[in-house]
Amino acid sequence: MNLTISNAELLSIYQSNLDRSIVSAVRGDVHTLWHLISILPGYYPTVVRDAVARLIGNSMIPPGIADEGSGNAIRSRSQLDVQGLPVPHPLDCDWRFTKGTADELLERLESLIGPNNSAALLGAPSVYVRAKNQRMENQLILLDRNETLANSSGLSPSWKGDLCCNLMHGAPNLPPVHAVLADPPWYVDEAVGFLRAASQICVCGATILLSYAPDGVRPGIPEERKRIIAEAKTFGINFSGIDHLTLSYATPFFEHNALRASAFRHIASDWRSGDLLSFRKSESLYLHQSTAREDENAWVEVSVEGVRFKVRQKDEKGFANPQLKKLVPGNVLPSVSRRDSRRHQVDIWTSGNRVYRCDGTHIMTVILHAIQASENPLSAVQHIMHDSMDDLQIRLVESSVLQVQQIVRTECREIKVFASVQ
């Protein structure tokens, strides 16, 4: 007998649960769309909005629930000030905890390790920044694959070298820790990889806290959670409990832009919630080297005035047109989901979730580095060319420089406005 649930059945269950949750919430004390989004278990705002429109059309809920509410009404004061950290980039899966959540997690870690032991943070730089404010950073070890963090002022000077690592390939050799907080991207492979790394660095009896997606993020989350718990056992880690919707995340700049591109007028600053799974390491097992492989060289990053450009690397030689070509209307991808098929077409991706196609990504990389260093981009491109450039190539480079400069001006202005309303 085949007990496997099909994708169609998962989607049907997902939609039924969402509709039922919306109707129940509206019968209570929920009167606006963002209020509704904030209390549901992780359903994306566009998904909720579409469901609300369908339910209104079927006369199952009143029309007023589609109202977003005013900007002042949905603005939160619980955001975490992360001065010194780079602007999050969508390719880094960098969602940061709100101030309240970061403080609660630090209190929990402190109670787990006491005054004389240490804990590891796997992919949670905002918690480390908050720990600095509370003078706990000496008890915490931050492991994160984002190399851009190494050059940020928000982290201690010791954050470098082996501490910048891809946890999907295993953890570096460290003194054993007595607790771990892991905040992986919300996918099974990443969650299992982070738990595997946690098992490598913590002592027996240590508590491991893992953030993961609540049920509404996508169809099949309960089944994913079961797989994660089963895999953890093979690392000598036993599941001990779950706190639903206990984690609150600050809406990053790139997601704010994505929601604006999806026609939201006002955007809540902390609508996203997460579940916190607890595990306990029961035994030390020999773990073979991870076979996980990722194309870490697929993207090169260049930051210009705080605007982060990620450029897909291609096997290119000679001159190719570096101009940025439109991929989506308005150039901002109206999605942050890794399942969005348009992501595979992106060659240039900014920290404001702007995406472009580009034939000459190697030439664009040279242009970006030159602008970053306040050098002449045309001279920089000419320097790497073995043959002299013709008039058309010169015009293409000059046009590409203007495109980059316009993007930088736009995103700097947007970031300033975004920061002022958080």
Side-chain angles (χ1 to χ4, degrees), residues 345-362:
Q345 305 174 52
V346 179
D347 296 315
I348 310 291
W349 205 324
T350 77
S351 45
N353 218 39
R354 285 178 168 79
V355 292
Y356 304 90
R357 288 192 295 260
C358 179
D359 296 329
T361 56
H362 63 306

Side-chain angles (χ1 to χ4, degrees), residues 85-373:
L85 291 184
V87 176
H89 194 286
L91 283 174
D92 294 334
C93 295
D94 189 0
W95 276 264
R96 297 167 183 171
F97 296 115
T98 59
K99 177 181 176 181
T101 291
D103 286 346
E104 290 170 2
L105 290 171
L106 285 170
E107 287 178 9
R108 189 160 177 178
L109 289 174
E110 188 174 22
S111 68
L112 289 170
I113 64 176
N116 300 317
N117 295 315
S118 59
L121 304 175
L122 309 187
S126 56
V127 176
Y128 186 83
V129 169
R130 190 65 185 162
K132 287 184 65 178
N133 295 337
Q134 300 182 16
R135 299 183 179 179
M136 273 188 65
E137 75 271 22
N138 291 334
Q139 289 184 270
L140 300 180
I141 300 169
L142 172 65
L143 302 178
D144 197 294
R145 66 171 294 177
N146 185 0
E147 295 182 359
T148 305
L149 293 173
N151 299 319
S152 64
S153 60
L155 302 184
S156 67
S158 63
W159 198 86
K160 57 184 178 180
D162 289 339
L163 299 182
C164 184
C165 61
N166 185 344
L167 292 164
M168 296 297 290
H169 297 168
N173 292 324
L174 297 171
V177 299
H178 289 73
V180 174
L181 169 63
D183 187 30
W186 285 349
Y187 299 95
V188 172
D189 288 346
E190 282 81 354
V192 170
F194 275 48
L195 285 174
R196 188 181 192 282
S199 180
Q200 292 175 321
I201 62 175
C202 65
V203 300
C204 279
T207 295
I208 300 169
L209 305 175
L210 176 83
S211 72
Y212 202 66
D215 290 351
V217 166
R218 58 180 172 269
I221 290 294
E223 288 72 23
E224 292 183 15
R225 196 160 50 234
K226 292 176 183 177
R227 289 170 55 193
I228 293 167
I229 292 170
E231 286 285 343
K233 289 183 179 180
T234 68
F235 306 145
I237 301 174
N238 293 323
F239 176 68
S240 55
I242 181 170
D243 295 316
H244 291 287
L245 304 179
T246 194
L247 304 175
S248 181
Y249 288 85
T251 301
F253 170 57
F254 64 80
E255 186 169 48
H256 179 90
N257 272 4
L259 289 168
R260 285 182 58 199
S262 299
F264 278 96
R265 294 178 294 107
H266 306 299
I267 299 164
S269 60
D270 58 354
W271 66 269
R272 183 185 292 275
S273 298
D275 292 346
L276 187 65
L277 283 65
S278 299
F279 297 83
R280 189 173 183 84
K281 182 174 178 179
S282 59
E283 57 181 325
S284 294
L285 302 175
Y286 175 76
L287 301 178
H288 294 283
Q289 183 65 32
S290 173
T291 57
R293 292 291 180 267
E294 295 180 356
D295 187 1
E296 297 180 14
N297 298 317
W299 300 89
V300 166
E301 179 174 328
V302 185
S303 180
V304 180
E305 296 183 31
V307 177
R308 298 172 62 189
F309 290 80
K310 293 213 176 194
V311 184
R312 190 187 298 275
Q313 297 304 286
K314 303 177 184 179
D315 185 16
E316 300 170 333
K317 295 181 180 179
F319 186 89
N321 183 3
Q323 286 182 314
L324 304 178
K325 301 178 180 178
K326 185 181 293 292
L327 181 60
V328 295
N331 297 320
V332 175
L333 186 64
S335 165
V336 296
S337 172
R338 200 166 72 177
R339 296 170 294 158
D340 193 309
S341 60
R342 292 169 291 188
R343 294 170 70 99
H344 303 295
Q345 305 174 52
V346 179
D347 296 315
I348 310 291
W349 205 324
T350 77
S351 45
N353 218 39
R354 285 178 168 79
V355 292
Y356 304 90
R357 288 192 295 260
C358 179
D359 296 329
T361 56
H362 63 306
I363 301 296
M364 174 53 72
T365 303
V366 173
I367 291 171
L368 287 168
H369 277 299
I371 295 174
Q372 179 191 53

